[in-house]
Amino acid sequence: MRDVIDGGDQYKKTTPQELKRFENFVKSCPPFDIVIDGLNVAKMFPKARESQVLLDVVSQLAKQNLRLLVLGRKHMLRQHSRWRQNDMEKVQKQASCFFADNISEDDPFLLYATLHSGNHCKFITNDLMRDHKACLPDAKTQHLFFKWQQGHQLAIINRTPGSKIGFQHILSYDTVVQTTGDSWHIPYDEDLVERYSYEVPTKWLCLYQKT
């Protein structure tokens, strides 16, 4: 909580009053199944109306009887060509919502609500969370955060004409070097790129010991 939200200076990401309001809000709610970064999700498809994109995501998940939390900013509630009140009212009927001040950052609230809800809870954003990883105090904790992120972050990959949302599947195994004794399985990229989050290598090198 201190490292991710506070970061040594609450005022950079929120205010003490809003932080307390958010903590009380989360503690008063049952655990969530999915926490959604409303602003990030809404801006994923620039040609579509932002409130409609968010409504499509929430409606699709709500049909699965999941307990949802949408995090957003207060300006999302004001009538605008990109934000229709009637869309946002439908969102609020299908999900719990917390709207922070327009100057606040959403990501720390997203991480806190997900962690507070328990290990089953997933979160939706296409943000790579590099800044939050950098706030953590040592390499071991950063690696732990990276592994947790890989197992809990849902990324949206497409939206079809029927407004159906496609999510990137969360792998049920670790993309780390694994061995069974006489064989090794090594995940790799053909291009040398550093992975930060839900992006994981999709190719494996399999080595077997000759007998």
Side-chain angles (χ1 to χ4, degrees):
M1 180 73 166
R2 183 182 64 253
D3 292 331
V4 174
I5 292 189
D6 203 327
D9 184 356
Q10 286 180 354
Y11 293 93
K12 286 183 179 178
K13 299 177 180 179
T14 182
T15 64
Q17 294 81 7
E18 184 170 68
L19 184 54
K20 189 64 180 175
R21 182 168 72 92
F22 178 69
E23 287 180 1
N24 292 337
F25 168 80
V26 170
K27 289 174 182 175
S28 70
C29 297
F32 297 104
D33 297 310
I34 296 182
V35 181
I36 302 167
D37 182 340
L39 202 55
N40 181 280
V41 164
K43 292 180 177 294
M44 285 180 187
F45 304 98
K47 293 182 180 179
R49 188 173 70 249
E50 292 171 3
S51 59
Q52 183 63 58
V53 173
L54 180 58
L55 177 59
D56 290 344
V57 172
V58 169
S59 297
Q60 183 170 318
L61 294 170
K63 289 176 183 175
Q64 301 174 42
N65 293 320
L66 297 169
R67 186 175 293 279
L68 308 174
L69 170 61
V70 174
L71 298 172
R73 310 263 181 89
K74 290 178 179 177
H75 74 79
M76 295 162 61
L77 298 173
R78 291 199 297 268
Q79 180 68 23
H80 186 271
S81 60
R82 307 289 294 172
W83 294 98
R84 287 193 184 164
Q85 284 183 330
N86 133 354
D87 290 342
M88 295 307 294
E89 287 170 1
K90 292 177 182 176
V91 166
Q92 291 177 82
K93 286 179 181 177
Q94 300 179 84
S96 298
C97 296
F98 182 90
F99 296 98
D101 290 335
N102 295 325
I103 60 169
S104 296
E105 290 186 18
D106 301 324
D107 300 341
F109 295 103
L110 181 84
L111 295 173
Y112 177 71
T114 306
L115 288 163
H116 189 274
S117 292
N119 200 43
H120 75 286
C121 185
K122 305 293 188 288
F123 65 96
I124 300 178
T125 181
N126 279 21
D127 193 308
L128 296 178
M129 303 286 177
R130 296 173 187 171
D131 292 344
H132 304 292
K133 181 181 174 185
C135 286
L136 298 172
D138 54 69
K140 184 178 179 181
T141 310
Q142 289 179 1
H143 180 67
L144 185 62
F145 176 78
F146 177 68
K147 286 186 67 174
W148 175 83
Q149 187 179 3
Q150 283 188 333
H152 292 81
Q153 183 167 4
L154 281 167
I156 294 175
I157 53 176
N158 57 49
R159 178 175 180 261
T160 59
S163 298
K164 183 172 175 59
I165 305 296
F167 295 97
Q168 180 169 308
H169 180 63
I170 292 179
L171 300 176
S172 58
Y173 52 84
D174 271 347
T175 48
V176 296
V177 176
Q178 302 183 34
T179 180
T180 57
D182 60 349
S183 65
W184 289 84
H185 303 274
I186 304 168
Y188 76 98
D189 284 305
E190 289 183 339
D191 300 319
L192 294 177
V193 294
E194 185 175 355
R195 297 294 184 173
Y196 288 98
S197 61
Y198 57 84
E199 300 178 308
V200 294
T202 55
K203 295 185 178 181
W204 290 76
L205 182 66
C206 299
L207 305 175
Y208 291 89
Q209 186 175 0
K210 284 186 176 182
T211 55

